[in-house]
Coordinates of all heavy atoms in Angstrom, one line a residue:
F1 N -1.2 28.1 11.1 CA -0.6 26.9 11.5 C -1.0 26.5 12.9 O -1.0 25.3 13.2 CB 0.9 27.0 11.4 CG 1.6 27.8 12.4 CD1 2.0 27.3 13.6 CD2 1.9 29.2 12.2 CE1 2.6 28.1 14.6 CE2 2.5 29.9 13.1 CZ 2.8 29.4 14.3
E2 N -1.4 27.4 13.7 CA -1.9 27.1 15.0 C -3.1 26.2 15.0 O -3.3 25.3 15.8 CB -2.1 28.4 15.8 CG -0.8 29.1 16.1 CD -1.0 30.5 16.6 OE1 -2.2 31.0 16.5 OE2 0.0 31.1 17.0
M3 N -4.0 26.5 14.0 CA -5.2 25.6 13.9 C -4.8 24.2 13.5 O -5.3 23.2 14.0 CB -6.1 26.2 12.8 CG -7.4 25.4 12.6 SD -8.6 26.2 11.5 CE -7.8 25.8 9.9
L4 N -3.8 24.1 12.7 CA -3.3 22.7 12.3 C -2.7 22.0 13.6 O -3.0 20.9 13.8 CB -2.2 22.8 11.2 CG -1.5 21.5 10.9 CD1 -2.5 20.5 10.2 CD2 -0.3 21.7 10.0
D5 N -1.9 22.7 14.4 CA -1.4 22.2 15.6 C -2.5 21.7 16.5 O -2.4 20.6 17.1 CB -0.5 23.2 16.3 CG 0.8 23.4 15.6 OD1 1.2 22.6 14.7 OD2 1.5 24.4 15.9
R6 N -3.6 22.5 16.7 CA -4.7 22.0 17.5 C -5.4 20.8 16.9 O -5.7 19.9 17.7 CB -5.7 23.2 17.7 CG -5.2 24.3 18.6 CD -6.3 25.3 19.0 NE -6.9 25.9 17.8 CZ -6.5 27.0 17.3 NH1 -5.5 27.7 17.7 NH2 -7.2 27.5 16.2
T7 N -5.5 20.8 15.6 CA -6.1 19.6 15.0 C -5.3 18.3 15.2 O -5.8 17.3 15.5 CB -6.3 19.9 13.5 OG1 -7.2 21.0 13.3 CG2 -7.0 18.7 12.8
V8 N -4.0 18.5 15.0 CA -3.0 17.4 15.2 C -3.2 16.8 16.7 O -3.2 15.6 16.9 CB -1.6 17.8 14.9 CG1 -0.6 16.7 15.4 CG2 -1.4 18.0 13.4
E9 N -3.2 17.8 17.6 CA -3.3 17.4 19.0 C -4.6 16.7 19.3 O -4.7 15.7 20.0 CB -3.2 18.6 19.9 CG -3.2 18.3 21.4 CD -3.0 19.6 22.2 OE1 -2.1 20.4 21.8 OE2 -3.8 19.8 23.1
K10 N -5.7 17.2 18.7 CA -7.0 16.6 19.0 C -7.4 15.4 18.2 O -8.0 14.4 18.7 CB -8.1 17.7 18.7 CG -9.5 17.3 19.2 CD -10.4 18.5 19.0 CE -11.8 18.1 19.6 NZ -12.7 19.3 19.4
F11 N -6.9 15.3 17.0 CA -7.3 14.2 16.1 C -6.2 13.4 15.5 O -6.2 12.9 14.4 CB -8.2 14.7 14.9 CG -9.4 15.5 15.3 CD1 -9.5 16.8 15.2 CD2 -10.5 14.8 15.9 CE1 -10.7 17.5 15.6 CE2 -11.6 15.4 16.3 CZ -11.7 16.8 16.1
G12 N -5.0 13.4 16.2 CA -3.8 12.8 15.7 C -3.9 11.5 14.9 O -3.3 11.3 13.9
S13 N -4.7 10.6 15.4 CA -4.8 9.3 14.8 C -5.8 9.2 13.7 O -5.9 8.1 13.0 CB -5.0 8.2 15.8 OG -6.2 8.4 16.5
R14 N -6.6 10.2 13.5 CA -7.7 10.2 12.5 C -7.1 10.5 11.2 O -6.1 11.2 11.1 CB -8.8 11.2 12.9 CG -9.6 10.7 14.0 CD -10.8 11.6 14.2 NE -11.6 11.2 15.3 CZ -12.6 11.9 15.7 NH1 -13.0 13.0 15.1 NH2 -13.3 11.5 16.8
P15 N -7.7 10.1 10.1 CA -7.2 10.4 8.7 C -7.2 11.9 8.4 O -8.3 12.5 8.7 CB -8.1 9.6 7.8 CG -8.9 8.6 8.7 CD -8.9 9.2 10.1
A16 N -6.1 12.4 7.9 CA -6.1 13.8 7.5 C -6.5 13.9 6.0 O -7.2 14.8 5.6 CB -4.7 14.3 7.7
F17 N -6.1 12.9 5.2 CA -6.4 12.9 3.8 C -6.3 11.5 3.2 O -5.6 10.6 3.8 CB -5.6 13.9 3.0 CG -4.1 13.5 2.9 CD1 -3.6 12.6 2.1 CD2 -3.2 14.2 3.8 CE1 -2.3 12.3 2.0 CE2 -1.9 13.9 3.7 CZ -1.4 12.9 2.9
D18 N -7.0 11.3 2.1 CA -6.9 10.1 1.3 C -6.8 10.6 -0.1 O -7.8 11.1 -0.7 CB -8.2 9.2 1.5 CG -8.1 7.9 0.7 OD1 -7.3 7.8 -0.3 OD2 -8.9 7.0 1.0
F19 N -5.6 10.6 -0.7 CA -5.4 11.2 -2.0 C -4.8 10.1 -2.9 O -3.7 9.7 -2.7 CB -4.4 12.4 -1.9 CG -4.1 13.1 -3.1 CD1 -5.1 13.9 -3.7 CD2 -2.9 13.0 -3.7 CE1 -4.8 14.6 -4.9 CE2 -2.6 13.6 -4.9 CZ -3.5 14.4 -5.5
L20 N -5.5 9.8 -3.9 CA -5.0 8.8 -4.9 C -4.5 7.5 -4.2 O -3.5 6.9 -4.6 CB -4.0 9.3 -5.8 CG -4.4 10.6 -6.6 CD1 -3.2 11.1 -7.4 CD2 -5.5 10.2 -7.6
G21 N -5.3 7.1 -3.2 CA -4.9 5.9 -2.5 C -3.9 6.0 -1.4 O -3.6 5.1 -0.6
Q22 N -3.3 7.2 -1.3 CA -2.3 7.5 -0.2 C -3.1 8.1 1.0 O -3.7 9.1 0.8 CB -1.3 8.5 -0.7 CG -0.2 8.9 0.3 CD 0.7 10.0 -0.2 OE1 0.5 10.5 -1.3 NE2 1.6 10.3 0.6
R23 N -2.9 7.5 2.1 CA -3.6 7.9 3.3 C -2.6 8.4 4.4 O -1.6 7.8 4.5 CB -4.5 6.8 3.9 CG -5.6 6.5 3.0 CD -6.5 5.4 3.5 NE -7.5 5.1 2.6 CZ -8.2 4.0 2.6 NH1 -8.0 3.1 3.6 NH2 -9.2 3.8 1.7
Q24 N -3.0 9.4 5.1 CA -2.1 9.8 6.2 C -2.9 10.4 7.3 O -4.0 11.1 7.1 CB -1.2 10.9 5.6 CG 0.0 11.2 6.5 CD 1.0 12.1 5.8 OE1 0.7 13.2 5.5 NE2 2.2 11.6 5.6
D25 N -2.5 10.2 8.5 CA -3.3 10.7 9.7 C -2.7 12.1 10.0 O -1.7 12.5 9.5 CB -3.2 9.8 10.9 CG -1.9 9.5 11.4 OD1 -1.0 10.3 11.3 OD2 -1.7 8.4 12.0
W26 N -3.4 12.8 10.9 CA -3.0 14.1 11.3 C -1.7 14.2 11.9 O -0.9 15.1 11.7 CB -4.1 14.7 12.2 CG -5.3 15.1 11.4 CD1 -6.5 14.5 11.4 CD2 -5.5 16.2 10.6 NE1 -7.4 15.1 10.6 CE2 -6.8 16.2 10.1 CE3 -4.6 17.3 10.1 CZ2 -7.3 17.1 9.2 CZ3 -5.1 18.2 9.3 CH2 -6.5 18.1 8.8
A27 N -1.3 13.2 12.8 CA 0.0 13.2 13.4 C 1.1 13.2 12.4 O 2.1 13.9 12.6 CB 0.1 12.0 14.4
A28 N 1.0 12.3 11.4 CA 2.1 12.2 10.4 C 2.2 13.5 9.6 O 3.3 13.9 9.3 CB 1.8 11.0 9.5
M29 N 1.0 14.0 9.3 CA 1.0 15.3 8.5 C 1.6 16.4 9.3 O 2.5 17.2 8.8 CB -0.4 15.6 8.1 CG -0.5 16.9 7.2 SD -2.1 17.1 6.6 CE -2.2 18.8 6.3
G30 N 1.3 16.5 10.6 CA 1.9 17.5 11.5 C 3.4 17.3 11.6 O 4.1 18.3 11.6
A31 N 3.9 16.1 11.6 CA 5.3 15.9 11.7 C 6.0 16.3 10.4 O 7.1 16.9 10.5 CB 5.6 14.4 11.9
Q32 N 5.4 16.1 9.3 CA 6.0 16.5 8.0 C 6.0 18.0 7.9 O 7.0 18.6 7.5 CB 5.2 16.0 6.8 CG 5.4 14.5 6.5 CD 4.7 14.1 5.3 OE1 3.5 14.4 5.1 NE2 5.4 13.3 4.5
V33 N 5.0 18.7 8.4 CA 4.9 20.1 8.4 C 6.1 20.7 9.3 O 6.8 21.6 8.9 CB 3.6 20.7 8.9 CG1 3.6 22.2 9.2 CG2 2.5 20.4 7.8
N34 N 6.2 20.1 10.4 CA 7.3 20.5 11.3 C 8.7 20.3 10.7 O 9.6 21.2 10.8 CB 7.2 19.8 12.7 CG 6.0 20.2 13.5 OD1 5.5 21.3 13.3 ND2 5.6 19.4 14.4
R35 N 8.9 19.2 10.1 CA 10.2 18.9 9.4 C 10.5 19.9 8.3 O 11.6 20.5 8.2 CB 10.3 17.5 8.9 CG 10.6 16.5 10.0 CD 11.0 15.1 9.4 NE 10.0 14.6 8.4 CZ 9.0 13.8 8.8 NH1 8.7 13.5 10.0 NH2 8.1 13.4 7.9
L36 N 9.5 20.2 7.5 CA 9.7 21.1 6.4 C 9.9 22.5 6.9 O 10.7 23.3 6.4 CB 8.5 21.1 5.4 CG 8.6 22.0 4.2 CD1 9.9 21.8 3.4 CD2 7.4 21.7 3.3
A37 N 9.1 22.9 7.9 CA 9.2 24.3 8.5 C 10.7 24.5 9.1 O 11.3 25.5 8.8 CB 8.2 24.5 9.6
R38 N 11.2 23.4 9.7 CA 12.6 23.5 10.2 C 13.6 23.7 9.1 O 14.5 24.5 9.2 CB 12.9 22.3 11.1 CG 14.2 22.3 11.7 CD 14.2 23.4 12.8 NE 15.6 23.8 13.0 CZ 16.0 25.0 13.5 NH1 15.1 25.9 13.8 NH2 17.3 25.3 13.6
G39 N 13.4 22.9 8.0 CA 14.2 23.0 6.9 C 14.2 24.4 6.2 O 15.2 24.9 5.8
L40 N 13.0 24.9 6.1 CA 12.9 26.3 5.6 C 13.6 27.3 6.5 O 14.2 28.2 5.9 CB 11.4 26.7 5.4 CG 10.6 25.9 4.4 CD1 9.1 26.1 4.5 CD2 11.1 26.3 3.0
Q41 N 13.5 27.2 7.8 CA 14.2 28.1 8.7 C 15.7 27.9 8.5 O 16.4 28.9 8.5 CB 13.7 27.8 10.1 CG 12.3 28.3 10.4 CD 11.8 27.9 11.8 OE1 12.3 26.9 12.3 NE2 10.9 28.7 12.3
D42 N 16.1 26.7 8.3 CA 17.6 26.5 8.1 C 18.1 27.1 6.8 O 19.2 27.5 6.7 CB 17.9 25.0 8.1 CG 17.8 24.3 9.4 OD1 17.7 25.0 10.5 OD2 17.7 23.1 9.5
M43 N 17.1 27.3 5.9 CA 17.5 27.9 4.6 C 17.3 29.4 4.7 O 17.6 30.1 3.7 CB 16.6 27.4 3.5 CG 16.8 25.9 3.2 SD 15.7 25.2 2.0 CE 15.8 26.4 0.6
G44 N 16.9 30.0 5.8 CA 16.8 31.4 6.0 C 15.4 32.0 6.0 O 15.3 33.2 6.1
V45 N 14.4 31.2 5.9 CA 13.0 31.7 6.0 C 12.8 32.1 7.4 O 13.0 31.4 8.4 CB 12.0 30.6 5.5 CG1 10.6 31.1 5.8 CG2 12.2 30.3 4.1
Q46 N 12.3 33.4 7.5 CA 12.0 33.9 8.8 C 10.7 34.8 8.7 O 10.2 34.9 7.6 CB 13.2 34.7 9.4 CG 13.6 35.8 8.4 CD 14.9 36.4 8.9 OE1 15.1 36.5 10.1 NE2 15.7 36.9 8.0
K47 N 10.3 35.5 9.7 CA 9.1 36.3 9.7 C 9.2 37.3 8.6 O 10.1 38.0 8.4 CB 9.0 37.0 11.0 CG 7.7 37.8 11.1 CD 7.5 38.4 12.5 CE 6.1 39.1 12.5 NZ 5.8 39.7 13.8
G48 N 8.2 37.2 7.7 CA 8.0 38.1 6.6 C 8.7 37.7 5.3 O 8.5 38.3 4.3
T49 N 9.4 36.6 5.3 CA 10.0 36.1 4.1 C 9.0 35.6 3.1 O 8.1 34.9 3.5 CB 11.0 34.9 4.4 OG1 12.0 35.3 5.3 CG2 11.7 34.4 3.1
K50 N 9.0 36.1 1.9 CA 8.1 35.7 0.9 C 8.6 34.4 0.3 O 9.7 34.2 -0.2 CB 7.9 36.7 -0.2 CG 7.3 38.0 0.3 CD 7.2 39.0 -0.8 CE 6.6 40.3 -0.2 NZ 6.6 41.4 -1.1
V51 N 7.7 33.4 0.2 CA 8.0 32.0 -0.3 C 6.9 31.7 -1.3 O 5.7 31.8 -1.1 CB 8.0 31.0 0.9 CG1 8.3 29.6 0.3 CG2 9.0 31.4 1.9
G52 N 7.4 31.2 -2.5 CA 6.4 30.8 -3.5 C 6.4 29.3 -3.5 O 7.4 28.6 -3.4
L53 N 5.2 28.7 -3.6 CA 5.0 27.3 -3.7 C 4.5 27.0 -5.1 O 3.5 27.5 -5.5 CB 4.0 26.8 -2.7 CG 4.3 26.9 -1.2 CD1 3.2 26.5 -0.3 CD2 5.6 26.1 -0.9
F54 N 5.2 26.2 -5.8 CA 4.8 25.7 -7.2 C 4.6 24.2 -7.1 O 5.4 23.4 -7.4 CB 5.9 26.0 -8.2 CG 5.6 25.8 -9.6 CD1 4.6 26.5 -10.2 CD2 6.2 24.8 -10.3 CE1 4.2 26.3 -11.5 CE2 5.8 24.5 -11.6 CZ 4.8 25.3 -12.2
L55 N 3.4 23.9 -6.6 CA 3.0 22.5 -6.4 C 1.6 22.3 -6.9 O 0.8 23.2 -6.9 CB 3.0 22.2 -4.9 CG 4.4 22.2 -4.2 CD1 4.2 22.2 -2.7 CD2 5.2 21.0 -4.6
P56 N 1.3 21.1 -7.3 CA -0.1 20.8 -7.7 C -1.1 20.8 -6.5 O -0.6 20.7 -5.3 CB 0.0 19.4 -8.3 CG 1.1 18.8 -7.6 CD 2.1 19.9 -7.3
N57 N -2.3 20.8 -6.7 CA -3.3 20.7 -5.6 C -3.3 19.3 -5.1 O -3.8 18.4 -5.7 CB -4.7 21.1 -6.1 CG -4.9 22.5 -6.4 OD1 -4.2 23.3 -5.8 ND2 -5.8 22.9 -7.3
S58 N -2.5 19.1 -4.0 CA -2.3 17.8 -3.5 C -2.0 18.0 -2.0 O -1.8 19.1 -1.5 CB -1.2 17.1 -4.2 OG 0.1 17.7 -3.9
P59 N -1.9 16.9 -1.3 CA -1.4 17.0 0.1 C -0.1 17.7 0.3 O 0.2 18.4 1.3 CB -1.4 15.6 0.6 CG -2.4 14.9 -0.2 CD -2.3 15.5 -1.6
L60 N 0.8 17.6 -0.7 CA 2.1 18.2 -0.6 C 2.0 19.7 -0.5 O 2.7 20.4 0.1 CB 3.0 17.8 -1.8 CG 3.5 16.4 -1.8 CD1 4.2 16.1 -3.1 CD2 4.3 16.1 -0.6
F61 N 1.0 20.3 -1.3 CA 0.8 21.7 -1.2 C 0.3 22.1 0.2 O 0.8 23.1 0.7 CB -0.3 22.2 -2.2 CG -0.5 23.7 -2.1 CD1 0.3 24.6 -2.8 CD2 -1.6 24.1 -1.4 CE1 0.1 25.9 -2.7 CE2 -1.8 25.5 -1.2 CZ -1.0 26.4 -1.9
V62 N -0.6 21.4 0.8 CA -1.1 21.7 2.1 C 0.0 21.7 3.1 O 0.2 22.6 4.0 CB -2.2 20.7 2.5 CG1 -2.7 21.0 3.9 CG2 -3.4 20.9 1.5
I63 N 0.9 20.6 3.1 CA 2.0 20.5 3.9 C 3.0 21.7 3.7 O 3.4 22.3 4.7 CB 2.7 19.2 3.7 CG1 1.8 18.0 4.2 CG2 4.1 19.1 4.4 CD1 2.2 16.6 3.7
G64 N 3.3 22.0 2.5 CA 4.1 23.2 2.2 C 3.6 24.5 2.7 O 4.3 25.3 3.3
Y65 N 2.3 24.7 2.5 CA 1.6 25.9 2.9 C 1.8 26.1 4.4 O 2.2 27.2 4.9 CB 0.2 25.9 2.5 CG -0.6 27.0 3.0 CD1 -0.6 28.3 2.4 CD2 -1.5 26.9 4.1 CE1 -1.3 29.4 2.9 CE2 -2.2 28.0 4.6 CZ -2.1 29.2 4.0 OH -2.8 30.3 4.4
Y66 N 1.4 25.1 5.2 CA 1.5 25.2 6.6 C 2.9 25.3 7.1 O 3.2 26.0 8.1 CB 0.7 24.1 7.3 CG -0.8 24.3 7.3 CD1 -1.6 23.5 6.6 CD2 -1.3 25.3 8.1 CE1 -3.0 23.7 6.6 CE2 -2.7 25.5 8.1 CZ -3.5 24.7 7.4 OH -4.9 25.0 7.4
A67 N 3.8 24.7 6.4 CA 5.2 24.8 6.8 C 5.8 26.2 6.6 O 6.5 26.7 7.5 CB 6.1 23.8 6.0
V68 N 5.4 26.8 5.5 CA 5.8 28.2 5.3 C 5.3 29.1 6.4 O 6.1 29.9 6.9 CB 5.3 28.7 3.9 CG1 5.5 30.2 3.8 CG2 6.1 28.0 2.8
L69 N 4.1 28.9 6.7 CA 3.5 29.8 7.8 C 4.2 29.5 9.1 O 4.5 30.4 9.9 CB 2.0 29.5 8.0 CG 1.1 29.8 6.8 CD1 -0.3 29.5 7.1 CD2 1.2 31.3 6.4
K70 N 4.4 28.2 9.4 CA 5.1 27.9 10.7 C 6.5 28.4 10.8 O 7.0 28.8 11.8 CB 5.1 26.4 10.9 CG 5.3 25.9 12.3 CD 4.9 24.5 12.5 CE 4.5 24.3 13.9 NZ 3.9 23.0 14.2
A71 N 7.2 28.4 9.6 CA 8.6 29.0 9.6 C 8.6 30.5 9.7 O 9.6 31.1 9.9 CB 9.2 28.5 8.3
G72 N 7.4 31.1 9.5 CA 7.4 32.6 9.6 C 7.2 33.3 8.3 O 7.0 34.5 8.2
G73 N 7.2 32.5 7.2 CA 7.1 33.1 5.9 C 5.7 33.5 5.5 O 4.7 33.1 6.2
T74 N 5.6 34.1 4.4 CA 4.3 34.5 3.9 C 4.2 34.0 2.4 O 5.2 33.8 1.8 CB 4.0 36.0 3.8 OG1 5.1 36.7 3.1 CG2 4.0 36.6 5.2

């Protein structure tokens, strides 16, 4: 997740993805990751917690993956 944070800082206004006509820049993606990570922590995810993601290959999976890492989960 640290690499994502650096990318958000450096390229915040640049496009992060274009998926089925849905576009989002790095800053918006980073904000979603942070919100989801906070929500996961509120649910009890902490360092070492195993989290399963059942999502299609889409931007939602990428956001979920980095959020789990940022929350401390594996």
Side-chain angles (χ1 to χ4, degrees):
F1 72 88
E2 291 166 349
M3 183 175 71
L4 175 68
D5 287 343
R6 287 192 302 269
T7 301
V8 168
E9 185 177 313
K10 188 172 182 180
F11 302 110
S13 63
R14 289 190 181 174
F17 64 82
D18 183 343
F19 181 75
L20 299 176
Q22 179 187 3
R23 294 178 180 165
Q24 194 169 65
D25 62 28
W26 285 104
M29 185 171 153
Q32 285 186 315
V33 168
N34 290 336
R35 281 193 305 272
L36 181 54
R38 183 70 205 155
L40 291 169
Q41 288 173 334
D42 290 346
M43 292 174 53
V45 174
Q46 56 188 328
K47 186 175 182 177
T49 302
K50 294 179 183 175
V51 178
L53 294 175
F54 187 67
L55 296 165
N57 288 333
S58 69
L60 291 176
F61 178 84
V62 177
I63 291 165
Y65 174 77
Y66 281 110
V68 168
L69 296 179
K70 197 165 211 173
T74 56

